[in-house]
Amino acid sequence: MTQNLSIQNITAHYGTTKVLEDLSLDIAEGELVSLLGASGCGKTTTLRLVAGFLEPTSGTIELGGKDLTRLPAHQRNIGLVFQNYALFPHLSVADNVGFGLKQRGISGEDKAKRVGAMLERVGLAHLADRLPGALSGGQKQRVALARALVIEPPLLMFDEPLSNLDAKLRVDMRVEIRQLQRANGTTSVYVTHDQEEAFSISDRVAIMHAGRIMQLDTPEVLYQRPANAFVARFVGFENLIPMKVVARDGAKVTAEMAGGVKLTLGLEHFGAIPDSFILACRADGLAVTDNVNLEGIPATLGLRTYLGRAYQYQCETGAGLLLANGPLTRPLDIGANAKLVPVPEQCTILAPEAEA
Amino acid sequence: MTNKLHPALIAFTVLVFFFLVGPLVIVIGSALSDTTYLTFPPQGLSLRWFENIFQISAFRRTIITSLQIAFLSTFIALLIGIPAAYALNRYRIQLPGWLSTLFILPVLVPELVLGFSILKNVAAQFSAPIFLSLVIGHSLLVLPYVVRVISASLASFDFSIEEAAISLGSPPLKTFFTILLPNVRSGVIAAFILSFITSINDVSISIFMTGPGISTLPIQILAHMEQFFDPTVASVSVLLMALTVAVMAVVERTLGLTFLAK
């Protein structure tokens, strides 16, 4: 009884402040999509709009083809899991889980059976009579999860569900959440500011910024082929080098960066290269070599840090400070002259950023 | 390990204790005195001044009036104050800051001024019955306590609990009664006790409103004292104390007094 969620052209305001701008998002049946971004990016607003706690200025929200946009929150039948658990402090664990069933007129033995089965699934059957105050953070979040799942909602939404847990538990719980979500096949929206969490748990991730979705794609694509400079920085591309094409020769393109350094790039790696672009790579995608005869970006090495798999250098170049990695076999000293050679497989081409 | 207490601290504590308990001891002692005038320590023991209260019809009437007014005005203040406190906390960000100050104004304004303006603008203007004016005056007087106390217990209430209930299919109004109220129960009871005691002890507002036929207990005590200086007033005070203690005891029994510390 899972359903697809379709958000179309949603704009939302808090007072006169626009918090979401023309946002559209389609989530397939059974899919888990994360909304990822810093606070204030609009991810929680999106969730609250779908839950019915906020009303959009314009746009529509449909669940399984049914328009939810103006439906009161208590009629939407959406399972919600909150950051601070939001358990009912005056009700036992079993009554917390049974609350949604009670609202649906399910009582007595039927309710007890379903609550029991749900508590069994989250491994809390032995705590059914406890009050929430007597539970640990992880147990509380399991109760919250059970409470949301037991009503068998067509849509589950998570609002930073693991932020209040410690690191180890966070990893365990996200695996648990994903397994339960998979087993039930429930369409899910997962709001988080934690990139690792979003990437590990989701089918697709929407990276949000200033009330817009900057890119919506699988974690693999986001990580390797960010669509724009914002997403590139977000997923850890330390080096974004603006460049201009100065010559094209068949499959080879020569481009120049600030400081007059020219690089030759092969179209076989990058596809089309526009006249003005950004060459983006992580420190791993920029190899440090002391062979200054190679084609690359001339650099003076600064601070060297040990990463375990490589040495990382702060490099002064004509195009500014770049981060590059060098082999463990040849540690280089501060002040040494070196070349930074882009590794084409680990670089990507982005459109230049709009002038701010 | 034993904690060594400084002698000065012990002395100070004992002093504070006497300061708190002393007046009560004197009042209770005076009430039991067999003399026809107020005196302490009591000379001879007698309950006749307690009997006397119930022989004076004005005391009988005013005790009932005071109880009625205390219950009614507390009830009205809760009826207005709980939703007000809810709105002030739930929509704190959206609402202007001065709004919550508005609800504590009756405490900031001298009670005599409040009493006088109710007399002039309600009782006299609309020639409202005395009893009604008293209820209105007392409701206003205790409303700030209700709003403050309930706000304090709502301050620690996580409103996402309310949203969780709504998302599970409970309509907002039902959620208010089944989820929110049980969680601020201690605040409601504390507000009730505070309001009730404030109302039953009030002099400065009541003194404007009371008139022929209707009076409240504290006003009657004043009136009695002007004519007689016998231990009856002490006995009435002991009764008032007993009433307060009884209310607290009932609360203690049903909830435990620990809620006051919350």
Side-chain angles (χ1 to χ4, degrees):
Chain A
M1 86 157 248
T2 180
Q3 289 171 346
N4 70 308
L5 175 71
S6 173
I7 300 172
Q8 296 304 328
N9 309 101
I10 286 285
T11 297
H13 293 78
Y14 280 135
T16 53
T17 319
K18 192 183 274 183
V19 285
L20 283 185
E21 187 160 3
D22 199 28
L23 181 131
S24 297
L25 177 63
D26 279 291
I27 303 181
E29 278 179 38
E31 191 182 25
L32 192 156
V33 170
S34 285
L35 306 180
L36 173 66
S39 60
C41 72
K43 56 189 194 297
T44 296
T45 304
T46 307
L47 180 133
R48 293 177 65 76
L49 281 163
V50 177
F53 299 136
L54 293 173
E55 256 193 55
T57 319
S58 62
T60 60
I61 299 163
E62 287 182 7
L63 184 60
K66 188 182 161 208
D67 189 357
L68 289 186
T69 320
R70 310 285 158 195
L71 199 66
H74 68 277
Q75 293 171 12
R76 293 197 180 192
N77 198 23
I78 293 171
L80 274 175
V81 179
F82 295 84
Q83 174 172 356
N84 35 18
Y85 325 121
L87 298 179
F88 310 129
H90 61 303
L91 299 180
S92 70
V93 166
D95 287 341
N96 262 279
V97 176
F99 187 86
L101 295 175
K102 200 169 137 198
Q103 308 307 316
R104 284 157 179 74
I106 297 164
S107 58
E109 205 157 303
D110 191 12
K111 183 176 116 183
K113 215 167 27 184
R114 286 163 77 169
V115 168
M118 200 64 231
L119 284 176
E120 200 74 54
R121 276 185 75 182
V122 295
L124 291 178
H126 59 295
L127 299 176
D129 298 326
R130 294 270 182 92
L131 285 177
L135 304 181
S136 72
Q139 290 170 336
K140 281 181 189 165
Q141 201 52 293
R142 282 197 184 87
V143 175
L145 196 58
R147 185 179 66 176
L149 280 172
V150 77
I151 60 170
E152 293 171 13
L155 176 68
L156 259 179
M157 297 204 292
F158 300 86
D159 187 8
E160 306 251 9
L162 308 180
S163 302
N164 289 0
L165 304 177
D166 61 55
K168 164 90 174 73
L169 196 56
R170 218 178 295 164
V171 174
D172 295 346
M173 277 299 290
R174 78 185 184 214
V175 171
E176 216 168 299
I177 287 177
R178 180 59 159 164
Q179 278 167 346
L180 276 170
Q181 186 266 339
R182 272 265 167 88
N184 286 24
T186 313
T187 311
S188 300
V189 177
Y190 192 102
V191 164
T192 179
H193 65 271
D194 184 326
Q195 186 181 324
E196 185 191 312
E197 191 175 303
F199 279 22
S200 67
I201 206 175
S202 315
D203 293 305
R204 287 189 298 159
V205 176
I207 294 180
M208 293 186 67
H209 175 62
R212 297 162 187 270
I213 292 177
M214 303 305 287
Q215 191 175 357
L216 169 65
D217 222 315
T218 62
E220 291 85 350
V221 170
L222 286 172
Y223 194 78
Q224 288 156 21
R225 294 277 172 263
N228 51 58
F230 178 84
V231 175
R233 276 193 201 96
F234 197 91
V235 298
F237 280 65
E238 291 100 345
N239 305 308
L240 297 184
I241 310 164
M243 301 193 81
K244 283 200 164 45
V245 173
V246 291
R248 292 181 187 269
D249 174 21
K252 296 260 181 245
V253 170
T254 307
E256 189 181 62
M257 67 182 73
V261 178
K262 291 194 180 71
L263 288 177
T264 309
L265 304 169
L267 286 177
E268 71 272 19
H269 287 297
F270 300 109
I273 295 178
D275 284 344
S276 177
F277 64 94
I278 292 173
L279 181 68
C281 61
R282 296 191 171 83
D284 269 329
L286 218 48
V288 175
T289 172
D290 56 354
N291 181 351
V292 290
N293 297 321
L294 286 177
E295 191 199 70
I297 307 162
T300 308
L301 298 184
L303 187 69
R304 184 182 74 210
T305 50
Y306 175 64
L307 298 184
R309 60 193 157 81
Y311 284 115
Q312 187 160 94
Y313 300 90
Q314 311 264 337
C315 311
E316 284 295 343
T317 73
L321 189 72
L322 298 177
L323 274 185
N325 290 353
L328 290 172
T329 46
R330 285 178 71 88
L332 301 173
D333 293 328
I334 291 181
N337 286 322
K339 280 280 174 69
L340 311 180
V341 183
V343 183
E345 295 76 18
Q346 296 190 38
C347 294
T348 192
I349 298 284
L350 304 171
E353 286 178 275
E355 297 289 326
Chain B
M1 196 183 83
T2 53
N3 282 319
K4 265 188 87 176
L5 290 174
H6 197 281
L9 179 63
I10 296 171
F12 185 71
T13 311
V14 169
L15 264 175
V16 168
F17 185 75
F18 270 107
F19 181 70
L20 287 173
V21 176
L24 303 185
V25 172
I26 291 174
V27 169
I28 293 171
S30 313
L32 291 171
S33 178
D34 198 21
T35 52
T36 55
Y37 48 90
L38 274 172
T39 180
F40 187 84
Q43 296 166 13
L45 283 181
S46 161
L47 287 173
R48 67 185 175 115
W49 299 113
F50 284 92
E51 269 170 58
N52 194 38
I53 304 170
F54 296 99
Q55 273 156 11
I56 303 172
S57 67
F59 273 118
R60 287 204 305 267
R61 271 202 318 274
T62 53
I63 287 173
I64 295 185
T65 309
S66 271
L67 284 174
Q68 285 171 332
I69 288 170
F71 271 115
L72 262 174
S73 56
T74 299
F75 181 69
I76 291 171
L78 287 173
L79 221 54
I80 301 170
I82 295 174
Y86 171 80
L88 287 173
N89 283 275
R90 180 79 176 82
Y91 305 104
R92 190 180 306 149
I93 303 157
Q94 290 100 313
L95 292 173
W98 51 263
L99 205 59
S100 61
T101 317
L102 193 72
F103 281 92
I104 56 166
L105 267 187
V107 170
L108 302 179
V109 175
E111 278 180 37
L112 281 170
V113 175
L114 194 64
F116 178 70
S117 49
I118 293 170
L119 170 70
K120 187 169 180 299
N121 299 309
V122 180
Q125 184 84 25
F126 301 103
S127 31
I130 293 169
F131 187 79
L132 183 66
S133 312
L134 277 169
V135 170
I136 292 174
H138 281 220
S139 302
L140 256 178
L141 174 73
V142 300
L143 181 62
Y145 296 102
V146 172
V147 174
R148 285 322 272 179
V149 172
I150 309 253
S151 286
S153 68
L154 278 172
S156 60
F157 182 78
D158 174 7
F159 284 97
S160 58
I161 291 171
E162 197 188 42
E163 291 183 342
I166 292 172
S167 78
L168 290 166
S170 172
L173 192 64
K174 187 180 170 196
T175 305
F176 181 85
F177 288 105
T178 58
I179 298 297
L180 190 119
L181 271 190
N183 281 297
V184 295
R185 190 180 61 168
S186 55
V188 173
I189 291 163
F192 178 89
I193 293 173
L194 255 179
S195 301
F196 192 85
I197 293 172
T198 306
S199 164
I200 222 151
N201 286 318
D202 175 72
V203 171
S204 26
I205 287 186
S206 306
I207 207 158
F208 286 98
M209 245 69 76
T210 48
I214 295 186
S215 186
T216 64
L217 186 55
I219 304 298
Q220 171 59 27
I221 294 174
L222 268 179
H224 187 87
M225 272 172 70
E226 282 166 2
Q227 293 175 39
F228 313 96
F229 200 64
D230 60 30
T232 311
V233 285
S235 311
V236 176
S237 309
V238 173
L239 269 190
L240 262 179
M241 273 191 256
L243 186 74
T244 311
V245 171
V247 171
M248 299 296 262
V250 168
V251 172
E252 222 289 323
R253 273 296 158 82
T254 47
L255 295 153
L257 268 181
T258 41
F259 79 87
L260 282 177
K262 267 202 207 170

